[in-house]
Amino acid sequence: MDPIQKKQKIEESDGDDIIQEGEVDENFQQRVQKLLYETDNGLNLYNKPVMPLIYYEFNEEIKQQAEEVINQDTTILPQDKYEKYEKEASKIWDKIYRHHQNNFFKDRHYLEREIPELNHFKDSHQKDETKLYVICEMGCGVGNALFPLKKNYTFFKKVYGFDFSKRAIDVLKANELYDETVFQACVCDLVLDPLPDFERPDLGTLIFVLSAISPENHLMVVRKIFEWMKPGSVLYFRDYGQYDFGQINLSKKKNRKLKDNFYVKHDGVRVYYFSNQEVTSLFTTAGFKQLDVKAHYRYIENRKTKVKMYRVWVQGRFFKE
């Protein structure tokens, strides 16, 4: 039986309304094809219908199947390889951004759905137009979160970002939307450097960043962020979750494992897969108050290769009192 149990209808709002929940879809493939090819939600760059949001129900059977694959991958890469990837991390990301420019990640339009603080800021600003806010994206890449947020919301007086890839920051600053009166970006390594002397943000984001950092440095990095942020601010976190398609795929390939739940991909990028419990422990130990932590279980189909991907992403919101 296919694990897909939640399906979302396709609207101009990116399909945010669930139309079936908790019911196993016996005709899942036919329904997915209908969603993929008969939607009027617009076309992508390849003149194909936009992929709708389709969720699946994670269950014990899926977990056991994933663990079976992951646990069979027992070969750990040698320490010299581990140190090599650690040392060359920024160079590897520079190479990626040099090749892909600003096309490596998609713009993160989903943030408007996932960060309720944005609506709180909006309401406050509508009541008092002098009420303005500051945002900082830690590990900003080329601005895939910052530019959409600034475009859609007028209440940000300052938009900060930093990344350890110099190439990413160069691409970000070359963007026609980069207005130096509002935006400020710089090169900063979350592990090795003190955090920038920016105005402390009301909202910080850490999106698919911590997974690229060695797990022995996770707590140190989160503590550094906690100490840097101001009281009353919120940090939004999103990253890869355990049992994600990517982790299973890397486990099948073998010779990609650096540590438990920590792997290196073919391009040299490292990736860690988090559990909900681990995220909770990490941020609360660092001093944050947890607002929420949850996993997103998304079904995605590559229409060219027909590969079916059961993705797992973990996200959370954390408050500094």
Side-chain angles (χ1 to χ4, degrees):
M1 182 176 293
D2 201 293
I4 301 294
Q5 294 185 346
K6 296 182 181 179
K7 184 180 64 179
Q8 294 185 314
K9 71 180 178 181
I10 308 164
E11 297 179 337
E12 291 184 359
S13 62
D14 290 331
D16 198 41
D17 300 324
I18 296 176
I19 61 173
Q20 290 193 5
E21 182 172 353
E23 178 182 349
V24 176
D25 192 343
E26 300 290 355
N27 299 313
F28 170 69
Q29 288 303 324
Q30 292 87 343
R31 289 175 178 266
V32 166
Q33 292 307 312
K34 180 178 178 63
L35 282 168
L36 291 176
Y37 298 111
E38 296 182 11
T39 174
D40 59 359
N41 191 40
L43 303 177
N44 62 20
L45 294 176
Y46 304 100
N47 205 36
K48 297 288 186 180
V50 173
M51 177 74 186
L53 293 178
I54 306 174
Y55 289 105
Y56 68 95
E57 188 76 18
F58 189 83
N59 55 39
E60 192 62 30
E61 180 182 357
I62 297 174
K63 180 180 177 181
Q64 290 176 358
Q65 291 174 351
E67 285 182 339
E68 183 178 347
V69 175
I70 293 168
N71 292 339
Q72 287 177 357
D73 183 18
T74 58
T75 303
I76 306 292
L77 291 176
Q79 184 64 22
D80 62 331
K81 289 279 190 181
Y82 192 97
E83 294 172 358
K84 174 180 180 291
Y85 288 120
E86 176 78 15
K87 182 178 180 181
E88 297 179 356
S90 62
K91 292 181 180 179
I92 289 169
W93 278 101
D94 278 342
K95 182 179 179 180
I96 288 172
Y97 284 118
R98 188 179 303 113
H99 177 71
H100 293 281
Q101 295 293 304
N102 61 353
N103 295 315
F104 190 68
F105 293 110
K106 295 179 180 179
D107 284 348
R108 307 188 193 282
H109 296 289
Y110 60 81
L111 297 179
E112 299 176 37
R113 297 193 305 268
E114 305 296 345
I115 306 179
E117 284 70 28
L118 293 172
N119 286 327
H120 300 162
F121 294 164
K122 183 178 180 180
D123 291 342
S124 296
H125 180 66
Q126 287 177 340
K127 294 175 182 177
D128 179 2
E129 292 187 355
T130 64
K131 187 68 174 175
L132 300 172
Y133 298 90
V134 175
I135 185 173
C136 180
E137 185 177 12
M138 305 161 207
C140 63
V142 297
N144 295 103
L146 295 182
F147 288 126
L149 287 174
K150 182 61 180 77
K151 180 180 178 181
N152 294 333
Y153 296 101
T154 60
F155 48 70
F156 288 122
K157 64 177 178 179
K158 272 294 186 180
V159 177
Y160 295 109
F162 60 83
D163 198 281
F164 79 156
S165 168
K166 181 181 182 302
R167 182 61 184 176
I169 296 300
D170 289 343
V171 173
L172 185 151
K173 289 184 174 181
N175 193 306
E176 61 182 8
L177 298 176
Y178 187 83
D179 179 354
E180 291 186 348
T181 64
V182 177
F183 288 88
Q184 186 175 344
C186 70
V187 177
C188 176
D189 188 320
L190 271 168
V191 174
L192 300 177
D193 301 332
L195 298 192
D197 189 22
F198 294 154
E199 181 179 354
R200 300 301 185 259
D202 301 286
L203 174 65
T205 65
L206 189 68
I207 304 172
F208 296 107
V209 173
L210 205 58
S211 58
I213 294 174
S214 297
E216 62 268 22
N217 291 320
H218 286 171
L219 183 57
M220 179 269 288
V221 166
V222 177
R223 277 180 170 154
K224 185 186 291 189
I225 293 171
F226 175 80
E227 293 170 0
W228 182 76
M229 293 185 70
K230 68 181 182 181
S233 60
V234 172
L235 177 67
Y236 172 79
F237 167 85
R238 186 176 177 109
D239 224 314
Y240 300 103
Q242 279 185 14
Y243 313 122
D244 176 59
F245 170 86
Q247 182 178 18
I248 296 171
N249 196 41
L250 287 168
S251 296
K252 289 179 178 178
K253 290 179 183 297
K254 309 293 187 183
N255 295 314
R256 297 290 177 85
K257 192 173 183 179
L258 295 167
K259 286 185 176 180
D260 285 347
N261 300 315
F262 192 41
Y263 304 81
V264 60
K265 298 195 287 187
H266 71 281
D267 54 9
V269 170
R270 300 171 302 165
V271 57
Y272 187 86
Y273 295 90
F274 295 89
S275 68
N276 288 17
Q277 296 78 10
E278 188 174 14
V279 171
T280 292
S281 176
L282 202 57
F283 285 86
T284 55
T285 300
F288 284 102
K289 177 182 178 181
Q290 177 179 308
L291 298 178
D292 64 61
V293 169
K294 59 185 178 182
H296 281 263
Y297 299 108
R298 284 278 307 281
Y299 171 86
I300 299 174
E301 180 179 318
N302 185 314
R303 280 170 281 190
K304 183 177 181 180
T305 64
K306 304 302 181 183
V307 172
K308 303 170 185 177
M309 294 171 281
Y310 294 89
R311 306 309 308 263
V312 183
W313 297 310
V314 178
Q315 73 174 37
R317 292 163 45 248
F318 302 93
F319 180 73
K320 179 172 180 178
E321 295 181 306

